[in-house]
Amino acid sequence: MRIPRLARVHLGPMAVLFVLALTACVLVAGLPRVTQGAFDQALRRALTGAPAVQADLAVTVESRSSQEDLHERAQFDTRDRLWHKLLPATLRPLVAPGGHMSAKTTLTPVTGSHGGRYLNLGWLSDADRRVDWVQGRVPGAPATMRYEGEPIPLIEVGVVAEAAAKMGLRPGRTVVLGENDQVAVKIVGLFEAKDPGDRYWSHNTDILHYTEIQPPNGGDMEVHTTTLMSDAGLTALSGAGRNLTYRWILPVNGAAASAQDTVGLGAAVADFGRLVTLQSTGTPYHLETGLPKLLGDFLAALATAQTVMYLVLGGLLAVVLGVIVLAVRLLTDRMDHALTVARARGGSLRQVAGTAAALTGLAVAPAALAGYALSYLVPGPVVPIVHLGPVLVVVASAGFAAARPAVTHRTPLHERRDDVVATRPSARRVTLEVLVVVLALGGAYLLRARGPAASAGQDPFLLVVPVTLTLAAAVITLRCYPYPLRLLVRLTARGRAAVPFLGLTRAARARSGSVLPVLILLPALAVSVFAAVISDGIAGTQRLASWEQAGAPIRITSPMEIPAAQVERVRGAAGVDRVLLAQTGRVQLGYGAERAEALAVDVGQWRELLGDAPVGLPPLSDGVLVSPELRGRGTLEIGWQSRLRLATRGVIDSVPGFYTQGKFLVVPLSVQARPYVNTLLVSGDASPAALRRLVPQATVVSQAETLAAIQDDPLTSTVRWTLLVVTVALAGYALVAIVLALVVGAAERARAVSFLRTLGLSERQAQRLTVLEILPMIIITALAGLGLGLLLPAALGPGVDLSSYAGGLPVGDYALDLLTPSVLAAGLAAVAVLGAYTHTAIGRRRALGAVLRLGDLS
């Protein structure tokens, strides 16, 4: 048969097939690239946003004797090259060139300070590129001096200006360190970091800052800092008399990370750690890194994101293929007469099937190629589905186009019984359908009972259950839809009007072949409603999480008392409506060592300030609200500014913006003799940046900024964006499916209406008859799809942990929002009615005799 001539004759169905295949391939090949790109972006943000001391690889070793000392930079460089050589192939692209090396002592006391001051010795391989000397000079080579009649090393060092002011380490001063094996250091200069915000300094915070530590037994605070020496100073640095540690930092380049390699990275880090340990000759080398923990947290969030993506994208692919199959069926139906004639004239079954497949491929293959090419305009890495998706569309389309004529034209001049409207299903088919339903219900129950998978990664059980639920809903809908229609037929049979009886009778007696195309609506609606409900659940929980973290529209907390003048400036700031004073602190419970976190605030005013926020506390005028760990203690004896005896008025699980676990309590601010205000709760639309300038020593947390930070996460935004795109796409494909279903059955429907019109059926009655024939199945399928879509979040919720996308709170409150289902159902019904009226309007242009003769030939 001549394919080009057939293509010209059936140009309309081929154009529809081309457009459907093009859009399908763009979606199937483009969306995975977007999602994978977001996964990569999320991993890179997790690695670059984490402190370098947690993300980088650090090889450490302690020097415990003079034989293990490293006195020259060349010795450090040799080992640095060895560590890079030992890196597994998977890790090498992730490790950035450069890095640095260091040598530091710890717990080096200032002689005579009785453990109150510690001045550690430090060396950085790249200090010249990291610090500016603001006073004095760069340290030089070490020398010796006499101390208590004995010569000791004298090392020239520099100190960060912050620590020098705190510890009185002015340039020119000499300090003796150690209690028995003394060494002297001479302060020759003060330095500051060139870029204090560089992630590099998280490895060396002890050099950039001083720290104060409270001793376990109480007493005065200990002050610690680390000095900076020159390369020459290494010759006087030994682990024989002090705690000396060498470090080689291999920086991780988060921008080079790929989510596809995450699983292998964890194993590669473990292998590298083993290789490092094997290089030990004396004191063992160790690999210190928080990279496995970062990767593990990311994998947990990624597994959930991938599961949700696979569910919605898999549903989209199934619906897309179903709609394309409908379009292929339309094309093969239009070709049926030509194929029948060819078969009757001696054409082989292979020729008939090959002709249909070739004509379908002529429309689908160029569309798939164009869609595949357009997908490369979408940013993101190429994953296997990008290549396989268009191929699957072409194979499925051509395969169905070949299989359907092959089955239909098994024998020449095939005929079918139009008077047979239903057949009794076989016992094997009934058993299989019952098995599908039982497995779906059992799988949903087991998923709810089991909860989230214990290990990270894809959960096959979670991916199979939605498929079985969809199949079960389709089987139940297909089997049960005639029964309510037959009941309506019996009711309409008692009336005098013929149109309702005829329309509903034709709908109830529709063949399964004509019903199956409409069942494409079921997964389309189920997945789209599921996506909409999940998206709404995430959005609501994100808002709740932002209020839980902020506790107020704006919360200002300070480590010290906020002066009254600053409070008044905050009250007068632009956009501030109300300021509520509060005090936080750690209080004594009873007279023992037990402690608890406490918040003193006017709870009634706080409740008013929160307004309609989804968080709050129960009323409290006197007494105390306690955490679950303090439940059942009755009246509490609290030591804060004074001794307080307060009766327990309630138990609260958390205090929004302050405490979520442990021992905590809330008391009225009025119980304090003089409130030590260190917290302000602010309402209004004031600028957080402006408030930070007014209270520079405080931390300002805004509910709006917290919510934006939660929503701005790449994984979170991608999940919600993909759910929105899939919802819109599935709604569009559902409408296309209705239109195609109308067109596929147009010839048979026109023949039946034409027969009835010869018996006196008017055009208006013909339109009503067509609507009543089509609309019931659409409504029933739409209700089944909507019900399944609303059921899936409840069925899958316990197995899908979406807390990573909702600020750490579990997403479980899927409120029943009927807006989206109503819009979808109304849109489908409107398209069905419009299609029915359009169909009858087109049918009016044909002469009844021509339609009937055409029907007689078919």
Side-chain angles (χ1 to χ4, degrees):
M1 301 182 68
R2 296 181 179 179
I3 302 300
R5 177 175 295 179
L6 286 174
R8 289 195 300 270
V9 172
H10 303 292
L11 186 60
M14 290 191 66
V16 172
L17 192 57
F18 179 89
V19 173
L20 289 176
L22 176 65
T23 56
C25 291
V26 170
L27 289 174
V28 170
L31 284 179
R33 295 191 64 174
V34 174
T35 56
Q36 189 61 44
F39 296 159
D40 291 347
Q41 182 183 358
L43 175 60
R44 292 162 187 166
R45 177 176 293 190
L47 295 180
T48 57
V53 69
Q54 185 178 5
D56 293 346
L57 306 174
V59 179
T60 68
V61 64
E62 294 182 6
S63 176
R64 298 177 181 174
S65 65
S66 57
Q67 291 77 18
E68 296 176 338
D69 292 340
L70 303 180
H71 295 303
E72 298 178 357
R73 176 187 284 266
Q75 294 174 299
F76 284 89
D77 292 337
T78 300
R79 286 164 176 77
D80 183 62
R81 289 191 293 269
L82 175 62
W83 307 141
H84 282 83
K85 183 178 179 181
L86 292 177
L87 282 171
T90 308
L91 267 181
R92 288 180 183 175
L94 199 61
V95 175
H100 70 280
M101 301 161 286
S102 67
K104 297 178 186 177
T105 66
T106 55
L107 297 176
T108 308
V110 175
T111 303
S113 68
H114 306 290
R117 293 190 301 167
Y118 291 85
L119 197 61
N120 300 311
L121 303 172
W123 169 80
L124 294 178
S125 61
D126 56 350
D128 56 332
R129 296 188 293 110
R130 298 294 182 177
V131 302
D132 288 324
W133 295 91
V134 297
Q135 188 175 347
R137 61 178 176 83
V138 178
T144 59
M145 66 172 282
R146 299 191 68 84
Y147 178 73
E148 295 182 350
E150 297 291 335
I152 61 172
L154 176 63
I155 305 174
E156 291 188 354
V157 299
V159 181
V160 67
E162 172 187 303
K166 175 67 177 180
M167 303 176 67
L169 301 174
R170 62 185 181 278
R173 181 180 176 184
T174 299
V175 180
V176 179
L177 307 178
E179 296 299 340
N180 44 32
D181 189 6
Q182 281 88 7
V183 63
V185 295
K186 182 178 181 181
I187 313 299
V188 299
L190 304 182
F191 63 84
E192 291 180 350
K194 291 185 177 181
D195 183 7
D198 195 324
R199 296 176 68 246
Y200 165 93
W201 287 110
S202 69
H203 289 288
N204 304 288
T205 54
D206 56 331
I207 291 179
L208 192 60
H209 302 284
Y210 72 89
T211 57
E212 294 183 329
I213 301 177
Q214 178 69 53
N217 57 353
D220 297 334
M221 299 289 286
E222 297 176 356
V223 183
H224 298 247
T225 193
T226 301
T227 61
L228 199 57
M229 66 176 66
S230 65
D231 291 359
L234 288 172
T235 59
L237 193 61
S238 175
R242 50 193 42 87
N243 304 317
L244 176 60
T245 302
Y246 301 127
R247 284 183 175 83
W248 291 262
I249 306 301
L250 283 65
V252 169
N253 180 17
S258 172
Q260 301 179 69
D261 302 328
T262 307
V263 177
L265 287 178
V269 171
D271 290 341
F272 181 56
R274 286 191 292 269
L275 293 174
V276 166
T277 304
L278 291 176
Q279 308 307 309
S280 305
T281 56
T283 305
Y285 288 93
H286 297 285
L287 176 63
E288 296 179 356
T289 179
L291 185 59
K293 175 66 167 56
L294 290 174
L295 296 177
D297 294 343
F298 173 76
L299 279 176
L302 178 65
T304 302
Q306 287 179 330
T307 299
V308 175
M309 294 298 98
Y310 288 158
L311 286 176
V312 297
L313 293 179
L316 176 62
L317 179 60
V319 171
V320 162
L321 292 178
V323 174
I324 290 178
V325 165
L326 265 180
V328 173
R329 178 181 173 181
L330 174 62
L331 178 61
T332 55
D333 284 351
R334 297 291 178 88
M335 295 171 56
D336 187 70
H337 181 70
L339 296 178
T340 301
V341 173
R343 187 80 168 105
R345 291 179 178 178
S348 66
L349 196 61
R350 180 181 298 177
Q351 289 176 320
V352 171
T355 299
L359 191 60
T360 302
L362 186 62
V364 174
L369 185 61
Y372 176 74
L374 289 175
S375 70
Y376 278 83
L377 299 178
V378 178
V382 178
V383 292
I385 190 61
V386 174
H387 308 302
L388 297 178
V391 174
L392 181 61
V393 170
V394 174
V395 171
S397 304
F400 180 79
R404 189 167 189 273
V407 173
T408 303
H409 298 278
R410 291 189 302 272
T411 58
L413 296 177
H414 67 283
E415 294 183 355
R416 66 182 182 185
R417 293 277 306 274
D418 287 342
D419 57 328
V420 177
V421 296
T423 58
R424 184 181 298 276
S426 64
R428 180 181 300 175
R429 180 173 178 179
V430 171
T431 302
L432 180 62
E433 292 175 351
V434 171
L435 180 62
V436 169
V437 175
V438 171
L439 289 177
L441 296 178
Y445 172 77
L446 292 176
L447 183 62
R448 289 188 60 85
R450 186 205 66 178
S455 58
Q458 289 307 307
D459 184 4
F461 190 61
L462 187 59
L463 297 176
V464 170
V465 169
V467 177
T468 57
L469 285 174
T470 304
L471 290 176
V475 168
I476 294 173
T477 304
L478 183 61
R479 286 297 173 200
C480 296
Y481 89 93
Y483 298 108
L485 292 183
R486 289 173 185 175
L487 179 61
L488 292 176
V489 167
R490 291 185 179 183
L491 295 177
T492 55
R494 300 178 181 179
R496 301 182 59 183
V499 171
F501 173 76
L502 293 174
L504 294 175
T505 299
R506 285 183 56 81
R509 293 184 176 183
R511 295 186 181 87
S512 60
S514 60
V515 172
L516 285 175
V518 184
L519 288 180
I520 295 173
L521 299 176
L522 194 146
L525 288 173
V527 175
S528 60
V529 172
F530 169 76
V533 172
I534 289 290
S535 181
D536 289 342
I538 292 176
T541 309
Q542 286 176 340
R543 181 171 179 269
L544 174 62
S546 67
W547 280 104
E548 287 281 4
Q549 295 178 22
I554 300 176
R555 174 170 52 86
I556 303 175
T557 56
S558 172
M560 60 191 71
E561 183 176 8
I562 301 176
Q566 288 186 342
V567 175
E568 292 304 318
R569 285 199 293 268
V570 171
R571 293 184 191 276
V576 173
D577 296 334
R578 189 173 184 178
V579 177
L580 183 62
L581 308 181
Q583 177 183 352
T584 61
R586 188 168 179 82
V587 301
Q588 180 186 27
L589 298 179
Y591 291 92
E594 188 178 13
R595 298 290 189 271
E597 301 295 333
L599 170 67
V601 66
D602 188 324
V603 175
Q605 294 186 27
W606 192 10
R607 287 163 56 89
E608 295 176 4
L609 184 140
L610 289 172
D612 60 350
V615 297
L617 293 177
L620 178 70
S621 58
D622 62 348
V624 59
L625 299 174
V626 301
S627 65
E629 294 190 16
L630 300 177
R631 184 197 308 266
R633 300 199 181 188
T635 301
L636 290 180
E637 183 90 18
I638 301 172
W640 202 346
Q641 290 180 345
S642 60
R643 303 302 302 184
L644 302 172
R645 288 181 58 85
L646 301 172
T648 300
R649 300 303 186 191
V651 179
I652 52 178
D653 295 326
S654 64
V655 181
F658 295 93
Y659 317 119
T660 59
Q661 59 184 0
K663 299 177 182 179
F664 55 83
L665 49 89
V666 178
V667 301
L669 187 63
S670 58
V671 303
Q672 298 286 47
R674 189 193 75 82
Y676 179 90
V677 176
N678 58 8
T679 301
L680 302 178
L681 303 176
V682 182
S683 65
D685 56 354
S687 169
L691 296 181
R692 292 186 183 99
R693 290 191 294 269
L694 294 178
V695 192
Q697 78 277 15
T699 300
V700 179
V701 177
S702 164
Q703 182 269 333
E705 290 181 343
T706 303
L707 178 60
I710 294 174
Q711 295 175 337
D712 189 49
D713 179 77
L715 283 181
T716 302
S717 58
T718 299
V719 167
R720 296 199 62 194
W721 180 85
T722 304
L723 291 176
L724 175 62
V725 171
V726 170
T727 300
V728 174
L730 287 174
Y733 278 113
L735 299 180
V736 173
I738 292 177
V739 174
L740 288 177
L742 288 170
V743 177
V744 166
E748 183 180 354
R749 196 175 301 109
R751 179 170 176 264
V753 171
S754 298
F755 270 119
L756 293 174
R757 287 184 61 190
T758 60
L759 300 177
L761 189 73
S762 66
E763 292 182 1
R764 183 179 297 274
Q765 289 175 322
Q767 292 174 341
R768 291 169 54 197
L769 177 65
T770 305
V771 171
L772 288 174
E773 179 185 349
I774 296 172
L775 199 57
M777 188 59 219
I778 293 176
I779 293 177
I780 292 175
T781 307
L783 292 176
L786 296 176
L788 179 60
L790 295 174
L791 174 66
L792 281 177
L796 305 181
V800 181
D801 182 12
L802 297 172
S803 59
S804 301
Y805 318 112
L809 294 183
V811 181
D813 183 17
Y814 298 108
L816 184 60
D817 184 6
L818 297 180
L819 177 61
T820 299
S822 301
V823 171
L824 290 173
L828 296 177
V831 171
V833 173
L834 180 62
Y837 276 94
T838 303
H839 167 68
T840 54
I842 295 175
R844 288 201 304 266
R845 300 178 182 178
R846 298 179 180 177
L848 293 181
V851 173
L852 293 179
R853 285 197 300 270
L854 180 61
D856 294 337
L857 290 174
S858 62

